[in-house]
Amino acid sequence: MDVDLDTLAWHARGNGGLHLRTVKVLLEHDQLDVVIRAATERGEWVCAREAVRELCEAGEFGRAEAVMAPFVKLGWRPAAWETARILVRAGRAEEALARAPRPEDAEDRRHLAELLAEAGRVDEAIDLLAPRLDEDGMTYCLARVTEGRGRDERVLELLPPGASSTRARVLERAGRIEEAVRTLREAIVVRDTVMVGVVEALAELFLRHGRTEELRELATGRHADHAVKQYVRALEERGRGAEAEDLLRESVATREYCARPRWCLVELLVRQGRFEEAREVARPTYGDEGNGILAPLIHVLVDAGQADLALRHVEELEAAGVLDEESDWILSNRVWLLGEAGRCEEALAWAATLPPEEEKYTAVVSAGVLERLGRTDEAVELLRTTEGVSAWEAVEVLARRGRGAEGLAGMPSPAAEREAWHRRYRR
């Protein structure tokens, strides 16, 4: 395997190597063999993890263990834990626990607790976590490893007072809904600070249990911004979209700060295919520094198959001279938007006019346009010859054409990537 432990750790922190998105593309295009090669030959940890997931789902535990073997031999601790999980799934629980690393820190203890639970030794997992629930992530881990194991009452006894969201989650799955609601309500404000996550958790709880009236009260009260999205969803699911629209329009019209309900209204209108109305709702935010929603509007329109309309909207706004605050975004995203609208040659012509400081981004979006035109080799060449473009970008283009192995062969070695990174960022 062409990697040492330091370079592997550097890769695992998200530097160099193949991006998770690229690995997903390879797997979606039936190139598991390429992912396995990247793992075992190059030491690509993200490839190893994804390959093991695929192999275990297919019941190929021996092959999965073989993917992890070179990482274990190198001394990569996460691989030892991953191997133990493979063994548990293969029905070799005792061997898995015998081969698991000795816990040295909180992360190790979470791994071991998960392993014990998967092996059916839930009480041992609880005993491991119980004395250390003050450590980061331990209460969440306790709730996760005991779910569906008949240990909810014991977990509730162990949870510390401050673990409100976790306590509510366990109460809910134990069927004690009223207590879960009360727990979250009492934790919404802590030392004069609104706990946004708690409000959202309460809204989701109401949504899951069809408690629409209580959700309406939450979505129209003091903490409306953090519950309105769930309330709109509840109304839509019940065929009451017009009622949701009325609520949102009233909020936009009467509230001084209405960014959240305005965006919810835009999304609602787009889901209903009312694209022109969505444009009009978004329009008043243009030019409002920090609060404009042109960029997300363009993205949801493109996602809805309305790239032509999105582009026309931008061109109309430019002609009206109302895009001062958004001009930089338009400058850098026009190539992408023209490509999405099918105006590929125009997109490439526009890319040629962009300033040198935009070279990296321009190369990536231009490669996407070239790919649309079927000019795959030109796209790959552009990506590989533009300074600063990640090597995985070219691999992803080739992967979509079933040429992942070719893309992998064109990547620099992990050591070369790391050396180039240090030259670029630590001069």
Side-chain angles (χ1 to χ4, degrees), residues 21 359-371 375-398 400 410:
R21 190 184 76 188
E359 180 183 31
K360 176 182 171 181
Y361 176 78
T362 302
V364 173
V365 292
S366 296
V369 175
L370 289 168
E371 192 180 356
R375 294 157 61 179
T376 303
D377 290 336
E378 288 179 67
V380 171
E381 180 67 17
L382 176 62
L383 292 169
R384 285 179 172 170
T385 57
T386 302
E387 184 177 1
V389 173
S390 299
W392 56 262
E393 297 273 9
V395 179
E396 190 168 307
V397 171
L398 289 167
R400 282 192 284 269

Side-chain angles (χ1 to χ4, degrees), residues 157-174:
E157 291 173 2
L158 291 171
L159 287 173
S164 304
S165 293
T166 303
R167 180 176 295 278
R169 175 185 171 190
V170 177
L171 285 166
E172 181 186 6
R173 75 191 192 197

Side-chain angles (χ1 to χ4, degrees), residues 16-255:
L18 288 176
H19 195 282
L20 176 59
R21 190 184 76 188
T22 307
V23 179
K24 298 286 189 185
V25 171
L26 284 163
L27 294 173
E28 287 166 5
H29 289 78
D30 300 319
Q31 296 169 83
L32 174 60
D33 58 326
V34 177
V35 177
I36 292 174
R37 280 184 50 203
T40 56
E41 296 177 9
R42 289 177 49 85
E44 297 271 3
W45 177 240
V46 67
C47 291
R49 286 190 292 112
E50 294 303 310
V52 162
R53 184 175 291 111
E54 290 282 317
L55 291 168
C56 285
E57 287 179 0
E60 298 188 57
F61 302 111
R63 288 183 70 194
E65 191 177 353
V67 170
M68 281 294 140
F71 294 90
V72 173
K73 183 178 180 180
L74 192 62
W76 182 239
R77 198 172 183 83
W81 286 114
E82 195 67 47
T83 299
R85 279 189 282 272
I86 294 168
L87 294 173
V88 168
R89 293 171 196 148
R92 297 155 61 187
E94 294 305 317
E95 182 183 352
L97 291 167
R99 289 174 58 178
R102 183 181 298 276
E104 295 179 354
D105 54 23
E107 184 176 7
D108 278 349
R109 282 184 281 277
R110 291 195 297 273
H111 283 312
L112 182 55
E114 291 165 358
L115 201 62
L116 286 164
E118 286 185 52
R121 294 160 64 167
V122 183
D123 289 316
E124 290 178 62
I126 295 173
D127 291 340
L128 173 68
L129 297 173
R132 300 179 178 274
L133 292 178
D134 58 330
E135 293 182 349
D136 186 42
M138 287 300 186
T139 58
Y140 178 78
C141 181
L142 177 64
R144 186 174 67 250
V145 301
T146 56
E147 187 166 6
R149 308 278 185 166
R151 302 295 193 280
D152 290 344
E153 295 305 319
R154 186 180 176 196
V155 171
L156 290 168
E157 291 173 2
L158 291 171
L159 287 173
S164 304
S165 293
T166 303
R167 180 176 295 278
R169 175 185 171 190
V170 177
L171 285 166
E172 181 186 6
R173 75 191 192 197
R176 294 158 63 176
I177 309 302
E178 297 304 326
E179 291 176 72
V181 170
R182 185 166 60 252
T183 296
L184 292 173
R185 284 194 187 279
E186 292 173 352
I188 286 177
V189 179
V190 177
R191 292 190 293 274
D192 298 324
T193 300
V194 175
M195 309 305 290
V196 173
V198 174
V199 179
E200 292 175 343
L202 182 57
E204 291 289 345
L205 177 63
F206 287 148
L207 182 62
R208 283 192 295 275
H209 293 275
R211 298 172 68 150
T212 310
E213 186 58 29
E214 288 165 288
L215 181 52
R216 184 193 67 78
E217 292 174 5
L218 191 64
T220 56
R222 293 176 56 198
H223 313 302
D225 272 0
H226 313 304
V228 68
K229 186 171 184 177
Q230 292 86 345
Y231 183 49
V232 168
R233 195 190 330 163
L235 291 174
E236 280 191 282
E237 289 173 356
R238 288 157 178 78
R240 296 160 61 186
E243 189 177 336
E245 181 182 345
D246 289 343
L247 170 73
L248 293 171
R249 287 192 183 278
E250 181 180 359
S251 295
V252 170
T254 60
R255 289 174 48 186

Side-chain angles (χ1 to χ4, degrees), residues 312-332:
R312 188 169 77 247
H313 185 55
V314 168
E315 291 172 340
E316 289 172 358
L317 293 170
E318 285 180 317
V322 296
L323 287 183
D324 289 346
E325 291 295 335
E326 293 85 1
S327 58
D328 287 344
W329 186 87
I330 295 299
L331 176 69
S332 59

Side-chain angles (χ1 to χ4, degrees), residues 338-354:
L338 284 165
E340 291 289 336
R343 292 158 59 176
C344 295
E345 295 298 342
E346 190 177 342
L348 294 174
W350 177 262
T353 70
L354 293 177

